[in-house]
C-alpha cells in the first residue's frame, strides 16, 4: 500500500489556513498546523488456534453461563478467566498464549489531519484508500466536529462526552493512555453507542485514532448499523514504510 494516491487525492481538499489555536485534548495526537499525517487502518487477525480453543471451551459450558460469558467478551481485550468456562486452567493459559500472538495487520493506508473550521471547532480531514476499489475516500469520522473549549465531539446523534482511557498489556494494541468520547442512547426500539478515541502507546511509538458506531434492536438484539475502525500512526517517523504492519 502506497501513500502516493492519497497524497494526490489531497489536491482535491480545500486549502485551509493553519492556526495556532488551542486544540484542547486532541493536541499532540494529530497535526493541527494544516499538515497531514500518514498511517494505517489496522485490525487484528485472530489465529485459528485461539478461535478453536475459545470455541471448544464455550461449547462445553452450560448454555446460560456461556451466554453470560460471551456477552462480556471484548474483541480487543484478553478473554477473562472464568472457572465455569475454563475448568482446566491450563486450557485457558494456552488460549491466552495464542491470543497474545495475534498479529495486527494493515487494511489500508490513510492520511489524517486536524483543521480548525471555526473558533475552537475542529474537524478531522481524512482520506483512505478503499482496499477493493483502490479509490480514495474520506472516513466517516470526518462528519464529526470537535469542540475544543467544551471538550466534546459533535455528531448528528448528539455530543460525545470525554473520559480518560487507559489499557494494559491485556489490550491487543498494547498499553496506552488517552481520552475517549462516548455517546450512548437507548429507546424502546434501539440502543446505540458512538465513540471516538485518541491514545498514545506507553512506549511512545504510536498514536491510535479509533471510531465506533453500533446500533442494535432492543427488541430482537439484531444489529441495525455498525461502523468501526482503528488508525495507527507512528510517532517518531510518520512517513516511514507505510506497508509495515504495527506490532504489539
Amino acid at each position: 500500500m502506497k501513500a502516493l494516491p492519497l497524497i494526490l487525492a489531497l489536491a482535491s481538499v480545500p486549502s485551509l489556513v493553519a492556526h495556532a489555536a488551542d486544540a484542547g485534548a486532541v493536541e499532540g495526537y494529530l497535526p493541527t498546523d494544516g499538515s497531514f499525517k500518514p498511517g494505517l487502518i489496522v485490525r487484528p487477525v485472530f489465529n485459528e488456534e485461539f478461535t478453536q480453543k475459545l470455541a471448544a471451551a464455550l461449547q462445553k459450558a452450560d448454555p446460560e453461563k456461556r451466554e453470560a460469558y460471551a456477552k462480556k467478551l471484548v474483541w480487543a481485550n484478553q478473554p477473562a478467566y472464568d472457572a465455569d468456562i475454563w475448568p482446566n486452567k491450563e486450557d485457558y493459559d494456552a488460549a491466552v498464549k495464542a491470543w497474545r500472538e495475534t498479529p495486527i495487520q494493515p487494511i489500508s493506508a490513510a492520511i489524517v489531519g486536524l483543521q480548525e473550521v471555526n473558533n475552537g471547532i475542529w474537524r478531522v480531514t481524512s482520506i483512505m484508500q478503499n482496499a477493493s476499489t483502490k479509490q480514495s475516500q474520506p472516513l466517516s469520522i470526518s462528519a464529526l466536529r470537535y469542540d475544543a473549549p467544551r471538550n466534546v465531539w459533535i455528531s448528528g446523534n448528539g455530543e460525545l462526552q470525554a473520559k480518560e482511557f487507559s489499557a494494559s498489556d491485556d489490550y491487543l494494541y498494547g498499553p496506552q493512555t488517552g481520552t475517549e468520547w462516548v455517546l450512548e442512547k437507548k429507546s424502546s426500539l434501539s440502543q446505540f453507542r458512538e465513540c471516538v478515541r485518541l491514545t498514545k502507546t506507553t512506549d511512545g511509538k504510536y498514536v491510535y485514532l479509533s471510531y465506533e458506531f453500533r446500533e442494535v434492536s432492543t427488541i430482537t438484539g439484531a444489529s441495525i448499523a455498525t461502523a468501526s475502525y482503528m488508525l495507527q500512526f507512528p510517532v517518531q517517523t510518520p512517513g516511514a514504510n507505510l506497508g509495515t504492519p504495527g506490532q504489539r
Side-chain angles (χ1 to χ4, degrees):
M1 290 178 291
K2 302 296 183 181
L4 181 58
L6 302 187
I7 294 173
L8 294 176
L10 286 176
S12 64
V13 177
S15 178
L16 296 175
V17 178
H19 295 280
D22 182 9
V26 305
E27 188 79 48
Y29 290 95
L30 298 171
T32 59
D33 59 358
S35 63
F36 294 87
K37 193 179 186 93
L40 294 169
I41 299 176
V42 296
R43 68 182 175 97
V45 180
F46 295 102
N47 59 60
E48 189 174 344
E49 181 182 0
F50 167 69
T51 56
Q52 287 180 346
K53 290 182 182 299
L54 178 61
L58 292 173
Q59 287 173 359
K60 295 176 184 178
D62 174 82
E64 185 175 337
K65 292 178 179 178
R66 176 173 63 233
E67 182 178 356
Y69 185 79
K71 287 182 178 178
K72 296 178 182 178
L73 289 174
V74 179
W75 64 270
N77 292 343
Q78 176 180 309
Y81 174 69
D82 186 323
D84 290 327
I85 305 298
W86 309 91
N88 185 340
K89 182 65 162 51
E90 291 182 356
D91 291 339
Y92 171 77
D93 292 339
V96 168
K97 182 178 183 296
W99 177 87
R100 289 188 174 276
E101 295 171 352
T102 300
I104 303 300
Q105 298 288 354
I107 301 174
S108 171
I111 294 177
V112 171
L114 292 167
Q115 278 80 35
E116 188 183 30
V117 294
N118 205 341
N119 187 24
I121 306 297
W122 296 76
R123 75 175 179 187
V124 174
T125 298
S126 63
I127 296 178
M128 58 89 65
Q129 187 177 51
N130 187 294
S132 58
T133 66
K134 305 302 181 183
Q135 297 298 310
S136 298
Q137 62 189 60
L139 292 163
S140 54
I141 194 174
S142 296
L144 279 66
R145 297 291 182 267
Y146 175 66
D147 186 329
R150 296 193 299 130
N151 192 24
V152 298
W153 283 88
I154 304 169
S155 80
N157 302 301
E159 295 184 350
L160 286 66
Q161 303 297 323
K163 62 179 180 178
E164 291 184 359
F165 175 85
S166 64
S168 68
D169 198 45
D170 292 341
Y171 186 55
L172 272 176
Y173 295 96
Q176 51 194 266
T177 60
T179 305
E180 68 176 7
W181 294 261
V182 179
L183 171 63
E184 293 179 314
K185 287 185 179 180
K186 184 175 182 179
S187 70
S188 58
L189 297 178
S190 69
Q191 59 182 2
F192 75 84
R193 182 179 190 271
E194 189 170 15
C195 177
V196 174
R197 182 185 299 153
L198 272 169
T199 57
K200 284 183 182 178
T201 55
T202 55
D203 61 11
K205 291 183 178 180
Y206 295 106
V207 165
Y208 283 100
L209 167 64
S210 69
Y211 175 77
E212 177 187 17
F213 177 86
R214 299 189 185 279
E215 184 175 13
V216 299
S217 168
T218 53
I219 300 173
T220 65
S223 176
I224 298 173
T226 181
S228 63
Y229 42 83
M230 176 78 81
L231 286 83
Q232 179 196 71
F233 303 94
V235 172
Q236 299 300 327
T237 53
N241 196 357
L242 291 179
T244 303
Q247 299 295 323
R248 295 185 65 234

